[in-house]
Amino acid sequence: MKGSNVTWKDCVVKKLLDQHLLEEIPKSPQRVYVSMVILREFHSTAVLTTEGQHLDVEMVRAGRTKNQLLSRVVLQKRKQVAPERRTGRAFNRQMGWGETCDYMKKMCGECPDCLLYGFAATSGDGAQRSRVLTDSGFSIRQYEAIQRSITLNAIQDTTQGGIAGSAFAEREHIRPQVFFPTIETAIDVTSSELVYILRNILSTTRYGAESNRQGYVKNHIIGLLFTNTEIMSNLELTQRVFDYLIQEKGEKIHEGPLEQEEVRQAMLHALNEVVADSYLPIQLYVGEELESVFSGLRQLWKSEEGNREWLKNLAEDHQAYLKKRSK
Ligand SMILES: [Zn+2]
């Protein structure tokens, strides 16, 4: 691919991230946090079940001011991160990294996936705690309004000529255009590492079970926040979004799918409230400032030279860390 001739060193993204992040991965935690606020928009039906045919549902308070009980569909934390890790691991293989890294058997402990998202110790080779914090996400609207049972026709039986009642099984799906406001927080990462995480989030499109046929998701990053603590949980974010939407639209929010723009506005409102309430300083990037980060990333990832330099930097960060850790 030809693309632009952006360099990593002079790229706007690196310059901005370098102001807030660490130059190298510390051996002991420094708790430099960057929170990525993500609106996950499902475009197709999806199966969000842990097992069996029912969606994962939790009864929680609707909002913080509107505090009646509401059953919400849960997007489990590992269902968010696992597909993003797979995107990253496929990319690593393209780069010739971590080819010996086996998720099921033995993780290598050296590739970006192991060093960022963590791996368990096998035989005294040390372990890495995940430096990407996540939490389960909650739907904004109630379970009853966003779910649909789909009857699966058991083809096997039909080919055998059988039409027995047992040939049909019901499974709960979420409907298209369901939103999950979520936050992923990276801890003590370098600029090149954060770009790797962002690439995974922005280029992963499939979540949930049977994801070759459904579960298409568009991830919108609404904000980046640099601080020394987690800013809020996903539940609090969803509750704040709910309160704002009720205030703006009233009970109409129960009638049909929400609009992406109104959810985005509600999330921005929630972020501003949280920044105002925070005890610690927070650098917040939203709107145009954030858009300049994304246009910088687009240029970088489309540039052969830029990509090469960024990945070289990432490899250097990891080599330096592994060396420091082995001492
Ligand atoms: Zn690995």
Side-chain angles (χ1 to χ4, degrees):
M1 204 193 314
K2 267 197 85 106
S4 54
N5 45 12
V6 163
T7 62
W8 168 238
K9 189 164 56 70
D10 301 317
C11 161
V12 286
V13 180
K14 183 176 184 328
K15 285 190 176 149
L16 186 144
L17 299 181
D18 281 351
Q19 289 172 34
H20 303 287
L21 301 177
L22 298 170
E23 258 177 56
E24 49 186 60
I25 308 161
K27 205 171 160 184
S28 310
Q30 291 196 15
R31 300 210 172 170
V32 174
Y33 285 50
V34 48
S35 289
M36 296 157 277
V37 183
I38 311 160
L39 175 57
R40 302 187 189 275
E41 177 185 17
F42 279 77
H43 283 203
S44 45
T45 55
V47 181
L48 303 179
T49 54
T50 311
E51 54 184 30
Q53 65 220 64
H54 299 291
L55 289 167
D56 292 334
V57 175
E58 206 65 72
M59 175 93 81
V60 292
R61 297 285 166 189
R64 289 157 54 88
T65 47
K66 267 288 218 189
N67 63 358
Q68 73 269 29
L69 289 167
L70 198 72
S71 291
R72 287 195 157 110
V73 176
V74 180
L75 177 59
Q76 303 286 356
K77 50 184 178 283
R78 65 167 303 280
K79 288 208 167 64
Q80 299 171 51
V81 174
E84 292 163 13
R85 289 188 77 160
R86 283 197 291 274
T87 300
R89 292 167 70 83
F91 182 59
N92 290 345
R93 284 191 287 272
Q94 249 184 55
M95 298 297 121
W97 290 346
E99 283 178 279
T100 54
C101 191
D102 190 326
Y103 211 61
M104 304 304 280
K105 292 180 195 144
K106 189 176 190 301
M107 297 187 71
C108 74
E110 293 179 357
C111 71
D113 181 72
C114 285
L115 292 177
L116 274 165
Y117 295 93
F119 67 97
T122 43
S123 53
D125 312 344
Q128 176 71 51
R129 287 177 69 156
S130 178
R131 284 183 289 140
V132 182
L133 295 183
T134 47
D135 187 10
S136 290
F138 295 85
S139 62
I140 302 166
R141 300 172 64 226
Q142 78 269 33
Y143 156 78
E144 292 81 2
I146 61 172
Q147 82 88 23
R148 182 153 72 98
S149 278
I150 296 179
T151 306
L152 307 169
N153 198 340
I155 296 164
Q156 212 180 337
D157 279 20
T158 349
T159 53
Q160 288 166 358
I163 40 161
S166 63
F168 301 96
E170 287 223 317
R171 201 170 194 190
E172 289 182 351
H173 289 61
I174 59 160
R175 293 164 179 256
Q177 290 220 296
V178 167
F179 296 91
F180 290 88
T182 61
I183 301 172
E184 285 187 31
T185 300
I187 309 165
D188 292 341
V189 297
T190 63
S191 302
S192 67
E193 286 187 310
L194 187 67
V195 170
Y196 176 87
I197 299 168
L198 289 171
R199 188 186 181 282
N200 293 346
I201 296 171
L202 291 168
S203 61
T204 301
T205 53
R206 296 291 179 149
Y207 292 79
E210 296 173 22
S211 60
N212 52 340
R213 284 185 278 136
Q214 54 188 343
Y216 189 100
V217 173
K218 173 91 179 159
N219 287 325
H220 309 274
I221 299 186
I222 306 289
L224 283 181
L225 294 89
F226 298 89
T227 181
N228 287 133
T229 179
E230 284 188 273
I231 51 165
M232 66 179 140
S233 66
N234 288 338
L235 179 60
E236 180 178 343
L237 176 58
T238 293
Q239 287 171 331
R240 285 182 185 269
V241 164
F242 182 90
D243 282 339
Y244 180 84
L245 290 172
I246 282 282
Q247 184 195 309
E248 295 296 304
K249 297 189 53 168
E251 299 298 323
K252 268 201 290 196
I253 75 160
H254 300 300
E255 287 167 15
L258 297 165
E259 282 172 43
Q260 190 225 111
E261 189 49 38
E262 63 194 7
V263 181
R264 189 185 276 267
Q265 286 308 323
M267 287 173 76
L268 287 175
H269 183 81
L271 289 183
N272 284 318
E273 281 179 342
V274 163
V275 168
D277 281 353
S278 166
Y279 291 103
L280 302 182
I282 298 179
Q283 295 292 320
L284 170 70
Y285 289 86
V286 291
E288 273 177 33
E289 264 184 319
L290 185 63
E291 202 35 61
S292 74
V293 173
F294 294 134
S295 61
L297 285 174
R298 282 186 197 102
Q299 285 179 4
L300 177 76
W301 290 330
K302 286 178 184 167
S303 149
E304 217 175 285
E305 182 65 20
N307 253 308
R308 198 172 29 241
E309 289 177 356
W310 157 53
L311 291 166
K312 185 168 167 275
N313 193 179
L314 180 62
E316 285 163 359
D317 287 350
H318 286 165
Q319 277 150 19
Y321 174 62
L322 288 167
K323 206 169 151 191
K324 191 164 25 169
R325 231 181 47 167
S326 68
K327 275 180 197 160

